Amino acid sequence: MDPYKHCPSSAHNTPFWTTNAGAPVWNNNSSMTVGQRGPILLEDYHMLEKLANFDRERIPERVVHARGMSAKGFFEVTHEISNLTCADFLRAPGVQTPVIVRFSTVIHERGSPETLRDPRGFATKFYTREGNFDIVGNNFPVFFIRDGIKFPDVIHAFKPNPKSHIQEYWRIFDFLSHHPESLSTFAWFFDDVGIPQDYRHMEGFGVHTFCFLNKAGKVTYVKFHWKPTCGVKCLTDDEAMKIGGANHSHATQDLYDSIAAGNYPEWILHIQTMDPADEDRFDFDPLDMTKIWPEDIFPLQPIGRLVLNRNIDNWFAENEMLAFNPAHVVPGIHYSNDKLFQLRTFAYSDTQRHRLGPNYMQLPVNAPKCPHHNNHYDGFMNFMHRDEEIDYFQSRYDPVRHAERYPIPNAIISGRREKCVIPKENNFKQPGERYRSWTPDRQERFLCRLVNALSDPRITHEIRGIWVSYWSQCDQSLGQKLASRLNVRPNI
């Protein structure tokens, strides 16, 4: 055995207890003391090592998506789309790619109940032959804000009050009263889908607009949609309270038990596509992630299926240390100019370097499963075995070369440096259309949740009036009902 290439593994357990260095421990139950009743000795290295490791067992939890569960499986292409993208893992029907998926809540802490009204994360890592591709999405197709510079603020508003550590609606509605773009997401948040029954009966969305590129370099805008084959199911508020009171890990347990029993959850991956030449034809900005693409104009096209058929082996190694990054794309897929997408390509890798260290991509769950080579050396917890003498590029002593060129968007970009709002905000049309698409009983449930949230005693009359005005512009009857129940007049 080459000692420099051996990595510790539970597969190499000895039949007796050892220190981290491998030395045998003859008594793991008693500290070393001076006599039977005397003080503990500092020379009991095993005791100190055991406690020191225990003291450091917890790593910083994620700022968002702290509460979650992962599972493994495969993605299989079912439809021919090589005319749209040269991505290798999408090259032909029948091609399978290993994946790991993490489901999560967004706002609350690692030990919080999975029944709270909150968006859910739906993040998928594809281990392709050309590197990892991550779709880091949610169970809503839209988000509260459209510009990444406001992301810390919207998360702070949803997080607990820094003084009391209590989540309070007055903070949420105060902040977002300045941002009517949030109406689209509130139309999902306070809807029935705001509390999924579990992770298996939940939709997923890539949310952002991505770019597909084919071999000729032609760009197509694309959105991703995961549709569960077992259907979408949600919990009422009363059901959520009952289930959450009995088991705060009900969704995690449901996912784990279902896979263990051979009842493998499955989703169909659909795409919507748009020609970038048509980008300005609509009354909304297609790259604005507070907007959906209407399915009657951009129909869903199935392209593959996702099957989760393996539970993770270790929750910490494959859930807590699992790290996603929207910047991880592969040849044939690229970013769009979505302003929040652009920010996330930096923010996610930056937070993983803070949580897990600069070499988080060496962890088995995050490392690509294809050959890879670069000169990212050293740093905390670097455990990659390297014996090269060349740690620079280029070198006449090292044959490594540039990869073959692949297409990326090449549109000519020009404009003045400025900070501005996108021209087509159109904040009220889509949430109004969504509300009107519901049955009367579903509309009533949405209205009741909205009234309850806006009844927070610290929400001022002014802020209530602003929200009544916003919803009146979405749908006049909704605004009237909301004004009546809150006893306020629209503040238009």
Side-chain angles (χ1 to χ4, degrees):
M1 181 190 73
D2 183 345
Y4 295 103
K5 293 185 178 180
H6 175 68
C7 292
S9 169
S10 59
H12 296 88
N13 278 346
T14 66
F16 50 82
W17 212 257
T18 73
T19 67
N20 281 348
V25 174
W26 72 270
N27 186 341
N28 191 39
N29 296 319
S30 303
S31 305
M32 187 179 295
T33 60
V34 180
Q36 291 184 342
R37 302 292 300 277
I40 293 174
L41 291 174
L42 191 61
E43 70 180 61
D44 189 349
Y45 170 73
H46 171 64
M47 175 201 65
L48 297 178
E49 180 182 70
K50 183 177 181 179
L51 291 177
N53 276 268
F54 173 75
D55 292 343
R56 293 160 175 79
E57 278 185 1
R58 297 294 177 262
I59 62 175
E61 73 173 31
R62 292 167 169 86
V63 176
V64 289
H65 299 277
R67 175 57 140 132
M69 183 58 175
S70 307
K72 296 180 281 191
F74 66 89
F75 173 77
E76 180 180 15
V77 180
T78 57
H79 291 69
E80 174 65 50
I81 58 168
S82 59
N83 62 312
L84 297 175
T85 176
C86 60
D88 176 74
F89 80 103
L90 297 173
R91 63 188 179 274
V95 173
Q96 291 190 356
T97 301
V99 301
I100 188 167
V101 177
R102 187 173 188 269
F103 305 100
S104 57
T105 61
V106 173
I107 292 298
H108 303 282
E109 291 92 340
R110 188 158 45 195
S112 58
E114 294 178 304
T115 48
L116 298 176
R117 183 168 296 276
D118 194 21
R120 301 297 193 272
F122 192 127
T124 308
K125 185 182 295 292
F126 301 78
Y127 298 106
T128 87
R129 301 193 304 183
E130 297 179 310
N132 293 351
F133 171 49
D134 292 355
I135 300 179
V136 192
N138 290 333
N139 68 322
F140 301 164
V142 287
F143 195 62
F144 294 97
I145 55 169
R146 61 168 64 97
D147 193 317
I149 197 171
K150 294 183 285 191
F151 188 77
D153 299 294
V154 70
I155 296 303
H156 284 171
F158 271 87
K159 285 283 189 179
N161 185 321
K163 181 176 181 179
S164 65
H165 201 67
I166 298 172
Q167 188 185 35
E168 297 166 323
Y169 272 119
W170 70 266
R171 292 163 40 80
I172 297 169
F173 284 114
D174 173 37
F175 170 69
L176 290 174
S177 68
H178 300 278
H179 303 290
E181 67 211 59
S182 62
L183 288 160
S184 283
T185 308
F186 274 127
W188 290 77
F189 183 82
F190 285 117
D191 183 24
D192 293 346
V193 297
I195 309 179
Q197 175 178 292
D198 49 57
Y199 296 134
R200 292 183 300 123
H201 295 87
M202 187 179 80
E203 290 182 296
F205 301 91
V207 186
H208 296 294
T209 299
F210 291 74
C211 292
F212 271 175
L213 295 101
N214 63 16
K215 290 182 179 179
K218 177 176 172 51
V219 177
T220 301
Y221 286 156
V222 61
K223 280 185 174 286
F224 296 110
H225 300 250
W226 298 106
K227 301 292 183 182
T229 58
C230 58
V232 175
K233 295 182 181 179
C234 310
L235 297 177
T236 66
D237 297 84
D238 290 341
E239 289 172 336
M241 290 180 64
K242 182 178 179 180
I243 293 172
N247 180 2
H248 76 294
S249 300
H250 83 286
T252 290
Q253 184 168 2
D254 174 82
L255 180 67
Y256 191 93
D257 290 350
S258 296
I259 294 174
N263 181 22
Y264 303 139
E266 181 175 337
W267 287 260
I268 304 300
L269 179 59
H270 296 77
I271 59 171
Q272 290 176 291
T273 60
M274 178 190 298
D275 189 331
D278 296 332
E279 183 176 340
D280 295 325
R281 290 181 51 196
F282 311 100
D283 60 2
F284 65 95
D285 186 335
L287 305 186
D288 176 358
M289 65 178 298
T290 69
K291 302 293 183 292
I292 63 168
W293 294 1
E295 292 181 16
D296 57 339
I297 304 175
F298 307 99
L300 296 179
Q301 310 169 46
I303 66 167
R305 68 187 186 110
L306 166 70
V307 179
L308 299 180
N309 58 4
R310 291 177 56 203
N311 278 313
I312 54 177
D313 299 315
N314 179 272
W315 182 84
F316 183 78
E318 296 182 295
N319 183 72
E320 281 302 282
M321 295 204 298
L322 173 58
F324 292 92
N325 185 355
H328 291 165
V329 294
V330 292
I333 303 176
H334 205 75
Y335 327 115
S336 71
N337 290 333
D338 175 338
K339 294 179 78 171
L340 188 49
F341 197 173
Q342 296 274 317
L343 177 136
R344 290 178 82 200
T345 61
F346 161 77
Y348 274 65
S349 57
D350 190 50
T351 196
Q352 305 301 358
R353 283 189 286 265
H354 166 67
R355 273 195 344 112
L356 303 171
N359 291 301
Y360 74 95
M361 286 300 296
Q362 292 183 18
L363 296 169
V365 72
N366 299 323
K369 309 311 174 194
C370 60
H372 57 285
H373 183 105
N374 56 50
N375 290 328
H376 298 173
Y377 267 80
D378 302 342
F380 289 110
M381 300 303 292
N382 189 317
F383 60 85
M384 183 180 293
H385 172 69
R386 305 189 74 159
D387 57 6
E388 307 99 315
E389 295 183 281
I390 306 301
D391 57 358
Y392 48 85
F393 181 84
Q394 295 167 301
S395 168
R396 302 187 191 281
Y397 296 92
D398 187 348
V400 69
R401 65 187 190 283
H402 289 118
E404 293 183 13
R405 186 171 181 174
Y406 56 85
I408 60 172
N410 58 4
I412 297 174
I413 301 173
S414 64
R416 184 179 62 189
R417 287 192 180 95
E418 55 186 330
K419 291 194 171 191
C420 59
V421 177
I422 65 171
K424 297 180 183 178
E425 288 195 69
N426 202 349
N427 296 317
F428 308 106
K429 180 181 178 182
Q430 289 192 2
E433 291 174 341
R434 178 168 172 80
Y435 172 79
R436 289 187 291 274
S437 72
W438 297 333
T439 58
D441 59 323
R442 189 169 177 177
Q443 290 180 347
E444 176 63 22
R445 290 193 296 272
F446 173 80
L447 179 60
C448 288
R449 296 178 189 123
L450 196 54
V451 169
N452 288 338
L454 286 168
S455 297
D456 185 309
R458 291 194 62 179
I459 295 179
T460 65
H461 188 81
E462 176 193 12
I463 293 176
R464 286 196 187 99
I466 290 171
W467 283 102
V468 169
S469 298
Y470 285 165
W471 287 110
S472 296
Q473 293 175 74
C474 296
D475 183 88
Q476 187 174 3
S477 66
L478 172 59
Q480 291 171 346
K481 293 175 183 176
L482 192 59
S484 175
R485 298 193 191 188
L486 291 173
N487 194 27
V488 296
R489 297 176 60 184
N491 183 16
I492 301 178

